[in-house]
Structure formats: structure tokens, C-alpha cells
């Protein structure tokens, strides 16, 4: 089995798994991940292969950071699914009451009490730290955002990182549960998370990594893997890096012009987070398709379409991209779901609005089933080239 040191090293082909944020909709990602795990087990003729055996770097934002951390610790997808469903029921079970808005305390600052979230993360992750070289089997990237400096922080476990163990910081000592809690501190849902980031009792406040361009963390993780400021220094090239990105479902923006004209300040404020998150995700998607000849390319828009004739490459003939790239995600939309899955009982707009909610734990099984069915249709064995097959 490949060691953590070998996975961190710059030599050889590298495989990256990036998981989106999206609250309880992470259950949909797990449906896709189950198929990826099955395909890789079949490719390697190993029914016990774990995603942490295959991928050299695993990371995520918000709910994606929870799943990514468990994968990096060597959990198989079925075990994560079972625990995830339990976590969802406990974490999103108790809302603060609306009348608490008249009370002057922390209860008015977030929709959910984070006690259950912290308790469950500590129960699952214990006191394992970001620098635990024995338990964490891969490069791990947990994307959070530092609220006091308005900067994205990709917390990672490379021992040569600038903030890993130095006068600049001591990231290796941060408990994993705190890293994940910081990444999952979605504004209005949970309070920010404070973490000691220096040896002088210096604390920083973190909010959800999704409140940035990295709710879809794939591009951010590619930068962590390849930019000189980070310690990995992995080589670009479609034979050198395979980037697999898994979403949590996406909705179609269907605001009619008349509705938009009637919008007021409060309605705009309520819609802005989703608008920004969708824009950021599509921008990441467009850039990553520009870097690759992706077999899973999405239709970006009516102007550039799937960008099949566009490639940003150092190859003069544009025959090879700078990465190999796979993106798996589905639209949570009545037309798409009904045409794609042909359910006995068609999805209504009310069903779709319910599934799109990021905090409805009752949707876990249905979201997982949708991701599993979509993975059955989308994920093909040839998506994972033999050049990236791990050596036994």
C-alpha cells in the first residue's frame, strides 16, 4: 500500500478527489462516491480497495470536508453513509425558535445550535489532529474561510507547509474536528469557529468555506497541489494529474423578469448567497474544462457550450490538456429529474424545492438514491485511465 509520504511526494501520477459543499445534500455526493469506489475496486481487482488507497489528495468544503476527512482516515463509503445519515438527523434536528430574536444572546445569531455538530464531530474524530501522520492516509485539504481577514484557508497536512509547524503557525496541532467545524460554519446556520492559529494564543474566526469561490473546491485544490507557494509541487499534465470533482446537486435559476422587477431588498439578500455560490461553481467548472479534454464536460452556456475546441495547454497542437478532469453532478430540477430517471410518481416543483434545501435531514436517503442512480448513468470505467492505476 502506498504510504502517506509517497502520496505527498511530487513524483509519479497524482489523483485528487474534491467534494463540494451543500449541507445535507452531501448525501447525494455519497451516491456518486459509492459508484467511484465500486469502479476502482473492479479496476484493481480488489474488493476491499478504499478511496484513500487510490487518491493522493482528498479534500472538501463544508459538508464535503466532513466526507473528505472520513475518506482520508480510511473509511469506506457505506460506513460514511451510515454515519452521515445519523449526523444529519442530530445536527439539523434542533432549530433555534423564531421568538429568540428578541433575546440578546448567541441564540439569535444562528439557525442551529452547534452543540450537536461539535459533539458528533468529536465523537467521530476524537482528538486526531491535522498533523497525525499515522491515521490520515492521504494529503487532506479542508477548505475554510478566515472571517477576520476575508481569506480562504485550505488547511492541509503537508509537513513542509508554511503554517504546518513554524513561527507562522502550528496547523499540525489543530484537532481535525475543529478544522471540519470551521469549514462547515455556514453563516446563519452555525456560529463561526475560533481556532488557535499561532503559538502565542493567537485565535482566528472561521466561517464556512462555501462563502468564497471554493464551495466547489476543485480549482482551489489544484492550486494547492501545484502552486509554488504550497509544498506539494505536483507536475501539471493530463498524464500527471487526475482531478475528480463531485457535486451536491445544483438548481436552475428560473427567476422570471417580472418577478425580478418586484424584488425588494430582503428578497435580494435572501437570494444572493445562492447566486454567488452558483456563479463561483460555474466559473471553476469553466476554468477546469478549459484546462482539460474532459469526458464529462458540462454545457457552460449558449455561447461557449461545452468548450470542446478550447484547451489551455502548453502543447502547440492542443492535443493534451494540463490535467485530466472529471466532474459528476446533477440538476435538481423537475424537467431534468423526470426525464432522466422517469420515476413512477413525477417530481413536482414542491418536491424539488424540498430536495434543494441544505438543511432537511429527512432527504438523506432520497438524495443518496439520486446520486447513486446518476452515478450509475454517468460514471464509466474508461473515465479512470490505466495510467492512474495504483501499483499493487
Amino acid at each position: 500500500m502506498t504510504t502517506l509520504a509517497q502520496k505527498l511526494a511530487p513524483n509519479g501520477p497524482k489523483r485528487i478527489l474534491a467534494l463540494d459543499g451543500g449541507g445535507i445534500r452531501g448525501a447525494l455526493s455519497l451516491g456518486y462516491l459509492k459508484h467511484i469506489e465500486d469502479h476502482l475496486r473492479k479496476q484493481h481487482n480488489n474488493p476491499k480497495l478504499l478511496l484513500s488507497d487510490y487518491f493522493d489528495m482528498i479534500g472538501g468544503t463544508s459538508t464535503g470536508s466532513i466526507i473528505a476527512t472520513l475518506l482520508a482516515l480510511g473509511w469506506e463509503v457505506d460506513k460514511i453513509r451510515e454515519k452521515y445519515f445519523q449526523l444529519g438527523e442530530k445536527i439539523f434536528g434542533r432549530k433555534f425558535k423564531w421568538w429568540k430574536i428578541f433575546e440578546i444572546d448567541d441564540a439569535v445569531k444562528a439557525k442551529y445550535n452547534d452543540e450537536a455538530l461539535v459533539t458528533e464531530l468529536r465523537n467521530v474524530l476524537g482528538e486526531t489532529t491535522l498533523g497525525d501522520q499515522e491515521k490520515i492516509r492521504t494529503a487532506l485539504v479542508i477548505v475554510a474561510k478566515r472571517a477576520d481577514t476575508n481569506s480562504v484557508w485550505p488547511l492541509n497536512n503537508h509537513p513542509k507547509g508554511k503554517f504546518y509547524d513554524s513561527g507562522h503557525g502550528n496547523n499540525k496541532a489543530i484537532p481535525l474536528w475543529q478544522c471540519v467545524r470551521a469549514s462547515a460554519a455556514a453563516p446563519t446556520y452555525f456560529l463561526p469557529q475560533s481556532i488557535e492559529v499561532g503559538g502565542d494564543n493567537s485565535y482566528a474566526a472561521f466561517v464556512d468555506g462555501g462563502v468564497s469561490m471554493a464551495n466547489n473546491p476543485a480549482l482551489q485544490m489544484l492550486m494547492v497541489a501545484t502552486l509554488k507557494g504550497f509544498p506539494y509541487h505536483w507536475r501539471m499534465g493530463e498524464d500527471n494529474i487526475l482531478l475528480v470533482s463531485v457535486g451536491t446537486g445544483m438548481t436552475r435559476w428560473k427567476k422570471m423578469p417580472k418577478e425580478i422587477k418586484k424584488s425588494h431588498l430582503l428578497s435580494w439578500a435572501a437570494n444572493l448567497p445562492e447566486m454567488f455560490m452558483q456563479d463561483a461553481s460555474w466559473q471553476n467548472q469553466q476554468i477546469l474544462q478549459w484546462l482539460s479534454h474532459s469526458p464529462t464536460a458540462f454545457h457552460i452556456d449558449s455561447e461557449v457550450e461545452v468548450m470542446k475546441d478550447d484547451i489551455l495547454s502548453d502543447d502547440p497542437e492542443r492535443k493534451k490538456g494540463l490535467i485530466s478532469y472529471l466532474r459528476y453532478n446533477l440538476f435538481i430540477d423537475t424537467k431534468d429529474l423526470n426525464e432522466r430517471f422517469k420515476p413512477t410518481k413525477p417530481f413536482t416543483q414542491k418536491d424539488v424545492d424540498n430536495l434543494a434545501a441544505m438543511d432537511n435531514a429527512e432527504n438523506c436517503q432520497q438524495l443518496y438514491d439520486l446520486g447513486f442512480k446518476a452515478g450509475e448513468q454517468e460514471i464509466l470505467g474508461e473515465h479512470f485511465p490505466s495510467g492512474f492505476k495504483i501499483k499493487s
Side-chain angles (χ1 to χ4, degrees):
M1 186 174 68
T2 308
T3 65
L4 177 58
Q6 290 172 321
K7 290 187 175 185
L8 296 176
N11 54 298
K14 297 297 179 180
R15 312 151 196 88
I16 302 172
L17 176 63
L19 305 177
D20 284 16
I24 205 66
R25 290 187 351 217
L28 188 147
S29 301
L30 287 167
Y32 276 113
L33 290 171
K34 177 60 178 173
H35 274 288
I36 294 173
E37 185 182 70
D38 287 345
H39 272 287
L40 293 175
R41 286 177 170 180
K42 187 178 296 183
Q43 182 188 51
H44 291 82
N45 194 28
N46 180 359
K48 294 184 178 181
L49 182 82
L50 301 169
L51 294 183
S52 59
D53 295 329
Y54 182 80
F55 289 100
D56 301 282
M57 177 185 285
I58 300 177
T61 301
S62 193
T63 193
S65 75
I66 298 175
I67 298 171
T69 298
L70 296 178
L71 287 172
L73 289 170
W75 288 40
E76 64 179 3
V77 175
D78 282 342
K79 183 179 177 182
I80 296 176
R81 179 190 61 189
E82 182 179 345
K83 177 57 65 176
Y84 192 88
F85 286 13
Q86 295 171 5
L87 286 173
E89 292 174 3
K90 293 177 181 179
I91 292 168
F92 292 113
R94 182 188 165 198
K95 296 181 183 179
F96 285 127
K97 306 302 182 183
W98 65 267
W99 59 81
K100 293 241 182 212
I101 195 169
F102 299 107
E103 299 178 13
I104 308 301
D105 61 18
D106 282 349
V108 304
K109 298 177 183 177
K111 190 175 180 181
Y112 292 94
N113 188 329
D114 74 342
E115 184 178 339
L117 174 59
V118 170
T119 298
E120 292 306 314
L121 289 177
R122 295 193 74 160
N123 285 342
V124 173
L125 301 175
E127 294 306 314
T128 303
T129 64
L130 186 61
D132 194 322
Q133 302 286 305
E134 297 296 324
K135 293 183 180 178
I136 303 175
R137 302 184 179 197
T138 67
L140 174 61
V141 179
I142 297 174
V143 181
K145 182 171 182 175
R146 186 166 168 175
D148 53 319
T149 60
N150 199 36
S151 55
V152 176
W153 272 44
L155 294 156
N156 72 92
N157 63 332
H158 198 297
K160 293 184 180 179
K162 290 179 182 177
F163 301 97
Y164 183 81
D165 182 18
S166 69
H168 300 292
N170 189 26
N171 286 359
K172 75 171 186 178
I174 301 174
L176 273 183
W177 73 264
Q178 284 191 1
C179 297
V180 173
R181 171 65 180 83
S183 179
T188 75
Y189 287 93
F190 298 107
L191 292 172
Q193 173 69 36
S194 293
I195 294 180
E196 185 177 355
V197 295
D200 56 352
N201 291 320
S202 173
Y203 284 81
F206 288 86
V207 293
D208 196 296
V211 191
S212 71
M213 290 291 288
N215 188 62
N216 171 349
L219 182 58
Q220 177 67 59
M221 290 178 62
L222 179 63
M223 290 190 289
V224 170
T226 58
L227 293 183
K228 291 182 180 179
F230 294 102
Y232 296 87
H233 303 158
W234 293 353
R235 292 176 55 208
M236 295 284 274
E238 69 175 41
D239 297 325
N240 297 323
I241 290 182
L242 170 63
L243 174 57
V244 181
S245 173
V246 182
T248 59
M250 50 191 168
T251 57
R252 291 191 187 277
W253 198 256
K254 294 181 177 179
K255 297 288 183 182
M256 298 297 291
K258 289 182 180 179
E259 291 181 67
I260 293 174
K261 285 183 179 180
K262 293 178 182 178
S263 295
H264 48 74
L265 286 174
L266 289 177
S267 64
W268 274 112
N271 285 310
L272 284 175
E274 184 181 357
M275 292 172 71
F276 289 148
M277 286 170 65
Q278 285 207 20
D279 284 348
S281 184
W282 279 111
Q283 181 78 347
N284 287 346
Q285 177 71 10
Q286 188 168 7
I287 291 171
L288 291 168
Q289 286 184 195
W290 196 14
L291 298 177
S292 63
H293 291 291
S294 177
T296 62
F298 277 77
H299 183 278
I300 300 298
D301 58 39
S302 299
E303 198 156 28
V304 300
E305 300 181 341
V306 295
M307 303 171 62
K308 65 179 180 180
D309 296 321
D310 294 290
I311 187 73
L312 185 65
S313 172
D314 54 4
D315 174 16
E317 297 183 7
R318 300 292 192 267
K319 290 183 178 179
K320 284 199 171 186
L322 291 175
I323 58 171
S324 291
Y325 172 61
L326 302 171
R327 172 68 170 171
Y328 301 113
N329 204 7
L330 64 85
F331 279 105
I332 302 176
D333 177 84
T334 52
K335 184 174 182 293
D336 291 82
L337 294 179
N338 289 327
E339 288 184 356
R340 185 168 181 177
F341 301 120
K342 296 180 173 50
T344 304
K345 181 183 177 183
F347 287 94
T348 65
Q349 188 58 48
K350 184 178 179 181
D351 296 329
V352 166
D353 292 342
N354 180 46
L355 284 170
M358 293 192 290
D359 60 346
N360 191 344
E362 294 178 355
N363 291 336
C364 274
Q365 186 62 57
Q366 189 174 13
L367 286 165
Y368 175 85
D369 291 342
L370 286 174
F372 186 83
K373 291 175 183 176
E376 197 169 32
Q377 295 176 352
E378 295 176 36
I379 299 170
L380 305 176
E382 56 263 34
H383 288 177
F384 297 86
S386 60
F388 288 99
K389 186 176 178 181
I390 58 174
K391 297 177 181 179
S392 57

